[in-house]
Amino acid sequence: IFFFFLFFVYRKFTSSLLLPVVLFQKFMANAVQRLQHLTKSLLQGDRASLARCITLVESTSAQQQVHARQLLSSVLAHLARLRNPTFRIGLSGPPGAGKSTFIESFGELLTSQNNRVAVLTIDPSSAVSGGSILGDKTRMPKLARNRNAYIRPSPSSGTLGGVARNTHDAIVLCEGAGYDITIVETVGVGQSEVAVADMVDMFVLLTPPAAGDELQGIKRGIMEMVDLVVVNKADGDLLHAANRTRLELMGALKFHQPRSPHWRPEVLQVSAKENHGLHKVWDVMREFRRVAARTGLHEHRRKTQCKVWMWKHITEHLLSDFKRNQHIQSLLLDVEQRMCNQLLTPGAAADIVLEEYYRRR
Protein backbone atom coordinates (compact mmCIF):
# COMPACT_ATOMS: atom_id res chain seq x y z
CA ILE A 1 0.00 0.00 0.00
CA PHE A 2 2.84 2.36 0.86
CA PHE A 3 4.54 1.82 -2.52
CA PHE A 4 1.21 2.22 -4.28
CA PHE A 5 0.75 5.51 -2.46
CA LEU A 6 4.22 6.69 -3.52
CA PHE A 7 3.51 5.70 -7.11
CA PHE A 8 0.20 7.62 -7.04
CA VAL A 9 1.92 10.74 -5.66
CA TYR A 10 4.69 10.45 -8.26
CA ARG A 11 2.17 10.27 -11.15
CA LYS A 12 0.26 13.25 -9.85
CA PHE A 13 3.44 15.26 -9.41
CA THR A 14 4.83 14.50 -12.87
CA SER A 15 1.48 15.09 -14.56
CA SER A 16 1.21 18.50 -12.89
CA LEU A 17 4.69 19.36 -14.19
CA LEU A 18 3.86 18.20 -17.70
CA LEU A 19 0.48 19.96 -17.81
CA PRO A 20 1.89 23.38 -18.91
CA VAL A 21 3.94 21.68 -21.62
CA VAL A 22 0.91 19.75 -22.90
CA LEU A 23 -1.25 22.88 -22.87
CA PHE A 24 1.43 24.84 -24.74
CA GLN A 25 1.71 22.11 -27.37
CA LYS A 26 -2.06 22.09 -27.83
CA PHE A 27 -2.09 25.88 -28.09
CA MET A 28 0.64 25.87 -30.74
CA ALA A 29 -1.13 23.11 -32.69
CA ASN A 30 -4.38 25.09 -32.60
CA ALA A 31 -2.52 28.24 -33.67
CA VAL A 32 -1.08 26.44 -36.70
CA GLN A 33 -4.51 25.10 -37.63
CA ARG A 34 -6.07 28.56 -37.28
CA LEU A 35 -3.35 30.05 -39.47
CA GLN A 36 -3.86 27.37 -42.13
CA HIS A 37 -7.62 27.96 -42.10
CA LEU A 38 -7.10 31.73 -42.30
CA THR A 39 -4.72 31.34 -45.25
CA LYS A 40 -7.15 29.07 -47.07
CA SER A 41 -10.04 31.49 -46.56
CA LEU A 42 -7.90 34.41 -47.74
CA LEU A 43 -6.90 32.64 -50.96
CA GLN A 44 -10.60 31.92 -51.59
CA GLY A 45 -11.28 35.67 -51.56
CA ASP A 46 -12.99 35.99 -48.18
CA ARG A 47 -13.05 39.69 -47.24
CA ALA A 48 -13.23 39.10 -43.49
CA SER A 49 -10.18 36.84 -43.67
CA LEU A 50 -8.34 39.50 -45.66
CA ALA A 51 -9.05 42.03 -42.92
CA ARG A 52 -7.76 39.64 -40.25
CA CYS A 53 -4.65 38.88 -42.30
CA ILE A 54 -3.80 42.58 -42.69
CA THR A 55 -4.30 43.03 -38.95
CA LEU A 56 -1.91 40.13 -38.40
CA VAL A 57 0.89 41.63 -40.53
CA GLU A 58 0.38 45.01 -38.85
CA SER A 59 0.84 43.50 -35.38
CA THR A 60 4.05 44.30 -33.49
CA SER A 61 3.86 41.12 -31.39
CA ALA A 62 6.88 38.84 -31.95
CA GLN A 63 4.71 35.70 -32.11
CA GLN A 64 2.25 37.36 -34.48
CA GLN A 65 5.12 38.45 -36.72
CA VAL A 66 6.24 34.82 -37.00
CA HIS A 67 2.74 33.84 -38.12
CA ALA A 68 2.64 36.83 -40.49
CA ARG A 69 5.84 35.67 -42.20
CA GLN A 70 4.40 32.17 -42.60
CA LEU A 71 1.20 33.62 -44.02
CA LEU A 72 3.03 35.84 -46.52
CA SER A 73 5.21 32.93 -47.65
CA SER A 74 2.11 30.87 -48.41
CA VAL A 75 0.47 33.75 -50.28
CA LEU A 76 3.60 34.47 -52.34
CA ALA A 77 3.87 30.78 -53.30
CA HIS A 78 0.21 30.83 -54.35
CA LEU A 79 0.69 33.96 -56.48
CA ALA A 80 3.80 32.47 -58.10
CA ARG A 81 1.79 29.44 -59.19
CA LEU A 82 -1.10 31.50 -60.59
CA ARG A 83 1.00 34.15 -62.35
CA ASN A 84 -2.08 36.37 -62.71
CA PRO A 85 -1.18 39.93 -63.79
CA THR A 86 -1.82 42.54 -61.11
CA PHE A 87 -1.58 46.32 -61.24
CA ARG A 88 -0.53 48.55 -58.35
CA ILE A 89 -1.38 52.26 -58.47
CA GLY A 90 0.00 54.81 -56.03
CA LEU A 91 -1.95 58.03 -55.53
CA SER A 92 -0.65 61.11 -53.74
CA GLY A 93 -1.55 64.74 -53.64
CA PRO A 94 -2.03 67.73 -51.33
CA PRO A 95 -5.01 67.99 -48.97
CA GLY A 96 -8.09 69.21 -50.77
CA ALA A 97 -7.20 67.61 -54.09
CA GLY A 98 -10.24 65.32 -53.87
CA LYS A 99 -8.34 62.04 -53.54
CA SER A 100 -11.20 60.18 -51.85
CA THR A 101 -13.77 61.41 -54.38
CA PHE A 102 -11.46 60.48 -57.24
CA ILE A 103 -10.79 57.00 -55.85
CA GLU A 104 -14.50 56.32 -55.34
CA SER A 105 -15.47 57.40 -58.86
CA PHE A 106 -12.46 55.70 -60.43
CA GLY A 107 -13.02 52.54 -58.38
CA GLU A 108 -16.64 52.38 -59.54
CA LEU A 109 -15.43 52.62 -63.13
CA LEU A 110 -12.92 49.79 -62.65
CA THR A 111 -15.39 47.46 -60.95
CA SER A 112 -17.93 48.09 -63.72
CA GLN A 113 -15.36 46.57 -66.10
CA ASN A 114 -15.14 43.33 -64.08
CA ASN A 115 -12.05 44.35 -62.10
CA ARG A 116 -11.66 43.67 -58.40
CA VAL A 117 -10.22 46.72 -56.67
CA ALA A 118 -8.49 46.99 -53.30
CA VAL A 119 -7.95 50.44 -51.81
CA LEU A 120 -5.34 50.89 -49.09
CA THR A 121 -5.57 54.33 -47.52
CA ILE A 122 -3.02 55.74 -45.07
CA ASP A 123 -4.23 58.15 -42.40
CA PRO A 124 -1.76 60.38 -40.54
CA SER A 125 -1.22 59.48 -36.90
CA SER A 126 -1.29 62.13 -34.20
CA ALA A 127 2.15 63.17 -33.00
CA VAL A 128 0.66 63.61 -29.50
CA SER A 129 -1.66 60.66 -28.93
CA GLY A 130 -0.53 58.38 -31.78
CA GLY A 131 -4.15 57.84 -32.86
CA SER A 132 -5.71 58.09 -36.32
CA ILE A 133 -9.26 58.87 -37.43
CA LEU A 134 -9.35 56.16 -40.16
CA GLY A 135 -12.44 57.72 -41.74
CA ASP A 136 -11.75 56.99 -45.39
CA LYS A 137 -14.66 54.56 -45.70
CA THR A 138 -17.08 57.31 -44.70
CA ARG A 139 -15.74 59.44 -47.57
CA MET A 140 -16.22 56.60 -50.07
CA PRO A 141 -19.64 55.14 -49.14
CA LYS A 142 -20.55 53.81 -52.60
CA LEU A 143 -17.26 52.03 -53.13
CA ALA A 144 -17.36 50.67 -49.58
CA ARG A 145 -20.65 48.90 -50.43
CA ASN A 146 -19.33 47.52 -53.72
CA ARG A 147 -18.83 43.74 -53.48
CA ASN A 148 -15.92 43.89 -55.94
CA ALA A 149 -14.05 46.51 -53.91
CA TYR A 150 -12.27 46.42 -50.59
CA ILE A 151 -11.19 49.48 -48.58
CA ARG A 152 -8.69 49.23 -45.75
CA PRO A 153 -7.57 52.35 -43.83
CA SER A 154 -4.32 52.07 -41.86
CA PRO A 155 -2.50 54.52 -39.58
CA SER A 156 0.88 55.86 -40.63
CA SER A 157 2.07 55.35 -37.00
CA GLY A 158 4.83 57.88 -37.46
CA THR A 159 6.28 56.18 -40.53
CA LEU A 160 7.79 58.71 -42.92
CA GLY A 161 7.00 58.73 -46.59
CA GLY A 162 3.21 58.81 -46.43
CA VAL A 163 2.74 55.05 -46.15
CA ALA A 164 2.38 52.59 -43.30
CA ARG A 165 5.16 50.17 -42.37
CA ASN A 166 3.37 47.09 -43.70
CA THR A 167 1.61 48.57 -46.72
CA HIS A 168 3.73 46.46 -49.08
CA ASP A 169 2.69 43.28 -47.23
CA ALA A 170 -0.96 44.39 -47.34
CA ILE A 171 -0.70 44.74 -51.13
CA VAL A 172 0.52 41.14 -51.40
CA LEU A 173 -2.39 39.95 -49.24
CA CYS A 174 -4.93 41.83 -51.37
CA GLU A 175 -3.51 40.23 -54.52
CA GLY A 176 -3.66 36.84 -52.82
CA ALA A 177 -7.36 37.44 -52.12
CA GLY A 178 -7.97 37.95 -55.84
CA TYR A 179 -7.89 41.74 -56.20
CA ASP A 180 -6.17 42.45 -59.51
CA ILE A 181 -5.91 46.24 -59.03
CA THR A 182 -4.63 47.82 -55.83
CA ILE A 183 -4.78 51.57 -55.20
CA VAL A 184 -2.60 52.99 -52.43
CA GLU A 185 -3.56 56.46 -51.22
CA THR A 186 -0.84 58.18 -49.23
CA VAL A 187 -1.07 60.70 -46.42
CA GLY A 188 -0.16 63.43 -48.89
CA VAL A 189 0.84 66.13 -46.43
CA GLY A 190 4.23 67.19 -47.79
CA GLN A 191 6.82 66.96 -50.50
CA SER A 192 8.47 63.90 -48.92
CA GLU A 193 5.39 61.70 -49.18
CA VAL A 194 6.72 59.71 -52.13
CA ALA A 195 7.65 56.38 -50.49
CA VAL A 196 4.59 54.90 -52.20
CA ALA A 197 6.52 55.15 -55.48
CA ASP A 198 8.74 52.34 -54.16
CA MET A 199 5.84 49.88 -53.86
CA VAL A 200 3.60 50.47 -56.89
CA ASP A 201 3.79 49.98 -60.64
CA MET A 202 2.47 53.44 -61.49
CA PHE A 203 2.69 56.59 -59.39
CA VAL A 204 -0.04 59.20 -59.92
CA LEU A 205 -0.09 62.76 -58.60
CA LEU A 206 -3.55 64.23 -58.06
CA THR A 207 -3.62 67.99 -57.73
CA PRO A 208 -6.40 70.59 -57.47
CA PRO A 209 -6.68 73.60 -59.79
CA ALA A 210 -4.50 76.63 -59.12
CA ALA A 211 -2.02 74.53 -57.11
CA GLY A 212 0.71 77.06 -57.85
CA ASP A 213 2.79 78.55 -60.61
CA GLU A 214 5.27 76.75 -62.82
CA LEU A 215 8.19 77.37 -60.45
CA GLN A 216 6.38 75.70 -57.55
CA GLY A 217 5.75 72.63 -59.70
CA ILE A 218 9.45 72.42 -60.59
CA LYS A 219 10.46 72.54 -56.91
CA ARG A 220 8.36 69.56 -55.95
CA GLY A 221 10.49 66.46 -55.59
CA ILE A 222 7.34 64.49 -56.21
CA MET A 223 7.26 65.68 -59.82
CA GLU A 224 10.40 63.69 -60.56
CA MET A 225 8.70 60.46 -59.46
CA VAL A 226 5.32 60.67 -61.19
CA ASP A 227 4.15 58.59 -64.13
CA LEU A 228 0.91 60.54 -64.51
CA VAL A 229 -0.41 63.89 -63.27
CA VAL A 230 -4.16 64.39 -62.89
CA VAL A 231 -5.73 67.80 -62.28
CA ASN A 232 -8.99 67.20 -60.43
CA LYS A 233 -12.05 69.43 -59.93
CA ALA A 234 -12.07 70.58 -63.56
CA ASP A 235 -15.69 71.69 -63.42
CA GLY A 236 -17.82 74.76 -62.78
CA ASP A 237 -15.98 77.91 -61.77
CA LEU A 238 -12.71 75.98 -61.44
CA LEU A 239 -12.62 74.84 -65.06
CA HIS A 240 -10.47 77.73 -66.28
CA ALA A 241 -8.15 77.38 -63.28
CA ALA A 242 -7.82 73.65 -64.04
CA ASN A 243 -6.89 74.41 -67.67
CA ARG A 244 -4.25 76.89 -66.51
CA THR A 245 -2.86 74.44 -63.93
CA ARG A 246 -2.65 71.70 -66.52
CA LEU A 247 -0.64 73.90 -68.89
CA GLU A 248 1.69 75.01 -66.10
CA LEU A 249 2.35 71.43 -65.00
CA MET A 250 2.97 70.34 -68.58
CA GLY A 251 5.57 73.08 -68.84
CA ALA A 252 7.11 72.09 -65.50
CA LEU A 253 7.48 68.46 -66.56
CA LYS A 254 9.62 69.54 -69.51
CA PHE A 255 12.38 70.49 -67.08
CA HIS A 256 12.42 67.05 -65.40
CA GLN A 257 14.14 63.92 -66.61
CA PRO A 258 11.48 61.23 -67.05
CA ARG A 259 11.57 58.50 -64.44
CA SER A 260 11.82 55.92 -67.21
CA PRO A 261 13.20 56.32 -70.73
CA HIS A 262 10.23 54.28 -71.97
CA TRP A 263 7.51 56.59 -70.66
CA ARG A 264 6.93 60.33 -70.57
CA PRO A 265 4.32 61.45 -67.98
CA GLU A 266 1.14 63.06 -69.20
CA VAL A 267 -1.02 65.71 -67.54
CA LEU A 268 -4.78 65.10 -67.64
CA GLN A 269 -7.70 66.93 -66.12
CA VAL A 270 -10.81 65.30 -64.69
CA SER A 271 -13.87 65.99 -62.64
CA ALA A 272 -14.33 63.11 -60.22
CA LYS A 273 -17.51 64.73 -58.96
CA GLU A 274 -19.09 64.69 -62.43
CA ASN A 275 -17.31 61.49 -63.62
CA HIS A 276 -15.69 63.41 -66.44
CA GLY A 277 -12.33 62.34 -67.86
CA LEU A 278 -12.00 59.13 -65.83
CA HIS A 279 -12.08 56.89 -68.92
CA LYS A 280 -9.16 58.84 -70.36
CA VAL A 281 -7.19 58.32 -67.15
CA TRP A 282 -7.81 54.57 -67.28
CA ASP A 283 -6.83 54.44 -70.96
CA VAL A 284 -3.49 56.13 -70.17
CA MET A 285 -2.93 53.74 -67.26
CA ARG A 286 -3.58 50.72 -69.46
CA GLU A 287 -1.19 52.07 -72.08
CA PHE A 288 1.47 52.54 -69.39
CA ARG A 289 0.83 48.98 -68.24
CA ARG A 290 1.34 47.64 -71.76
CA VAL A 291 4.54 49.67 -72.24
CA ALA A 292 5.89 48.56 -68.85
CA ALA A 293 5.22 44.89 -69.64
CA ARG A 294 6.73 45.12 -73.12
CA THR A 295 9.90 46.93 -72.09
CA GLY A 296 10.53 45.02 -68.85
CA LEU A 297 9.89 48.12 -66.75
CA HIS A 298 7.21 46.33 -64.72
CA GLU A 299 9.47 43.44 -63.72
CA HIS A 300 12.42 45.76 -63.05
CA ARG A 301 10.39 47.97 -60.71
CA ARG A 302 8.96 45.01 -58.80
CA LYS A 303 12.43 43.54 -58.18
CA THR A 304 13.92 46.90 -57.22
CA GLN A 305 11.05 47.61 -54.83
CA CYS A 306 11.56 44.30 -53.02
CA LYS A 307 15.20 45.23 -52.39
CA VAL A 308 14.25 48.71 -51.20
CA TRP A 309 11.72 47.41 -48.69
CA MET A 310 14.05 44.67 -47.49
CA TRP A 311 16.61 47.31 -46.52
CA LYS A 312 13.93 49.47 -44.93
CA HIS A 313 12.90 46.57 -42.70
CA ILE A 314 16.55 45.87 -41.85
CA THR A 315 17.08 49.51 -40.90
CA GLU A 316 13.93 49.52 -38.79
CA HIS A 317 14.88 46.33 -36.92
CA LEU A 318 18.41 47.59 -36.26
CA LEU A 319 17.07 50.88 -34.91
CA SER A 320 14.59 49.02 -32.71
CA ASP A 321 17.36 46.80 -31.33
CA PHE A 322 19.50 49.89 -30.71
CA LYS A 323 16.76 51.63 -28.74
CA ARG A 324 16.02 48.51 -26.65
CA ASN A 325 19.66 48.15 -25.54
CA GLN A 326 19.62 48.87 -21.80
CA HIS A 327 23.22 50.05 -21.64
CA ILE A 328 22.60 52.47 -24.50
CA GLN A 329 19.50 53.79 -22.76
CA SER A 330 21.50 54.64 -19.63
CA LEU A 331 24.34 56.13 -21.70
CA LEU A 332 21.92 58.29 -23.65
CA LEU A 333 20.81 60.09 -20.51
CA ASP A 334 24.36 61.27 -19.84
CA VAL A 335 25.15 62.09 -23.47
CA GLU A 336 21.91 64.00 -23.97
CA GLN A 337 22.55 66.03 -20.80
CA ARG A 338 26.06 66.96 -21.99
CA MET A 339 24.71 67.83 -25.42
CA CYS A 340 21.96 70.03 -23.96
CA ASN A 341 24.60 71.80 -21.84
CA GLN A 342 26.44 72.53 -25.11
CA LEU A 343 29.39 70.34 -24.14
CA LEU A 344 28.86 68.10 -27.17
CA THR A 345 27.58 68.66 -30.67
CA PRO A 346 24.80 66.32 -31.90
CA GLY A 347 27.26 64.66 -34.27
CA ALA A 348 29.84 64.03 -31.52
CA ALA A 349 27.10 62.71 -29.21
CA ALA A 350 25.94 60.28 -31.88
CA ASP A 351 29.52 59.08 -32.42
CA ILE A 352 29.96 58.36 -28.70
CA VAL A 353 26.73 56.35 -28.49
CA LEU A 354 27.42 54.39 -31.68
CA GLU A 355 30.99 53.57 -30.69
CA GLU A 356 29.78 52.20 -27.36
CA TYR A 357 27.04 50.22 -29.07
CA TYR A 358 29.45 48.60 -31.52
CA ARG A 359 32.00 47.92 -28.76
CA ARG A 360 29.48 46.04 -26.65
CA ARG A 361 28.16 43.95 -29.54
Side-chain angles (χ1 to χ4, degrees), residues 181-255:
I181 299 177
T182 304
I183 301 175
V184 183
E185 178 197 355
T186 70
V187 173
V189 294
Q191 297 180 9
S192 64
E193 312 303 324
V194 293
V196 67
D198 288 328
M199 64 174 63
V200 296
D201 303 320
M202 186 176 194
F203 184 36
V204 181
L205 172 65
L206 191 73
T207 180
D213 57 13
E214 210 170 24
L215 183 60
Q216 181 184 6
I218 295 174
K219 287 182 178 179
R220 292 176 179 173
I222 196 173
M223 294 291 288
E224 300 174 354
M225 306 295 295
V226 297
D227 300 303
L228 175 64
V229 180
V230 178
V231 181
N232 193 19
K233 301 183 178 181
D235 52 57
D237 296 336
L238 294 176
L239 181 59
H240 293 296
N243 291 330
R244 184 177 66 253
T245 301
R246 176 174 174 267
L247 293 175
E248 290 176 354
L249 290 174
M250 289 175 62
L253 283 173
K254 295 178 181 178
F255 293 94

Side-chain angles (χ1 to χ4, degrees), residues 41-158:
S41 299
L42 169 72
L43 299 180
Q44 291 175 348
D46 182 64
R47 291 159 61 100
S49 297
L50 174 58
R52 287 194 291 269
C53 288
I54 296 178
T55 300
L56 178 63
V57 300
E58 289 178 348
S59 173
T60 57
S61 166
Q63 185 61 45
Q64 297 285 17
Q65 288 179 359
V66 172
H67 291 160
R69 287 194 294 268
Q70 296 172 350
L71 169 67
L72 289 168
S73 297
S74 300
V75 174
L76 287 173
H78 174 76
L79 293 174
R81 289 193 300 269
L82 291 181
R83 293 186 177 274
N84 289 338
T86 58
F87 192 38
R88 304 171 182 177
I89 304 169
L91 186 69
S92 187
K99 293 188 292 293
S100 296
T101 305
F102 174 82
I103 290 175
E104 181 173 51
S105 300
F106 189 60
E108 289 285 317
L109 169 65
L110 296 179
T111 55
S112 67
Q113 298 181 5
N114 299 322
N115 294 297
R116 298 192 70 202
V117 180
V119 180
L120 303 176
T121 64
I122 315 300
D123 270 12
S125 297
S126 169
V128 178
S129 66
S132 298
I133 297 177
L134 302 180
D136 294 275
K137 279 191 175 182
T138 62
R139 296 196 294 269
M140 294 180 272
K142 293 182 181 179
L143 194 62
R145 295 193 300 267
N146 194 317
R147 296 182 62 87
N148 290 321
Y150 174 79
I151 303 175
R152 171 74 181 210
S154 297
S156 64
S157 301

Side-chain angles (χ1 to χ4, degrees), residues 152-339:
R152 171 74 181 210
S154 297
S156 64
S157 301
T159 304
L160 296 178
V163 297
R165 173 184 176 273
N166 299 103
T167 303
H168 187 271
D169 296 338
I171 293 174
V172 173
L173 294 176
C174 290
E175 293 175 351
Y179 292 92
D180 51 343
I181 299 177
T182 304
I183 301 175
V184 183
E185 178 197 355
T186 70
V187 173
V189 294
Q191 297 180 9
S192 64
E193 312 303 324
V194 293
V196 67
D198 288 328
M199 64 174 63
V200 296
D201 303 320
M202 186 176 194
F203 184 36
V204 181
L205 172 65
L206 191 73
T207 180
D213 57 13
E214 210 170 24
L215 183 60
Q216 181 184 6
I218 295 174
K219 287 182 178 179
R220 292 176 179 173
I222 196 173
M223 294 291 288
E224 300 174 354
M225 306 295 295
V226 297
D227 300 303
L228 175 64
V229 180
V230 178
V231 181
N232 193 19
K233 301 183 178 181
D235 52 57
D237 296 336
L238 294 176
L239 181 59
H240 293 296
N243 291 330
R244 184 177 66 253
T245 301
R246 176 174 174 267
L247 293 175
E248 290 176 354
L249 290 174
M250 289 175 62
L253 283 173
K254 295 178 181 178
F255 293 94
H256 292 285
Q257 184 72 21
R259 189 181 176 193
S260 169
H262 307 292
W263 179 262
R264 178 167 291 277
E266 295 188 34
V267 182
L268 305 177
Q269 62 184 46
V270 302
S271 171
K273 181 181 178 181
E274 298 181 357
N275 292 322
H276 174 72
L278 298 177
H279 286 86
K280 176 62 176 176
V281 171
W282 180 229
D283 289 340
V284 173
M285 287 184 177
R286 284 189 295 183
E287 178 61 24
F288 171 84
R289 192 175 181 182
R290 285 190 290 267
V291 171
R294 186 180 69 250
T295 60
L297 176 62
H298 176 271
E299 183 179 2
H300 172 73
R301 283 192 179 180
R302 290 278 180 105
K303 291 180 178 180
T304 303
Q305 290 165 5
C306 289
K307 295 177 183 178
V308 168
W309 283 94
M310 180 192 73
W311 282 107
K312 287 186 178 181
H313 282 294
I314 291 174
T315 303
E316 184 175 306
H317 283 296
L318 288 175
L319 182 60
S320 177
D321 179 69
F322 179 84
K323 290 181 176 179
R324 287 198 304 264
N325 189 298
Q326 294 182 355
H327 180 75
I328 294 300
Q329 289 178 355
S330 60
L331 177 63
L332 279 173
L333 296 176
D334 176 63
V335 172
E336 287 176 351
Q337 184 65 34
R338 293 164 61 190
M339 183 179 61

Side-chain angles (χ1 to χ4, degrees), residues 21-41:
V21 178
V22 174
L23 291 177
F24 178 75
Q25 290 175 343
K26 289 184 177 180
F27 173 78
M28 293 302 296
N30 291 335
V32 171
Q33 292 177 355
R34 289 195 299 268
L35 182 61
Q36 291 175 346
H37 176 72
L38 184 63
T39 305
K40 182 179 179 181
S41 299

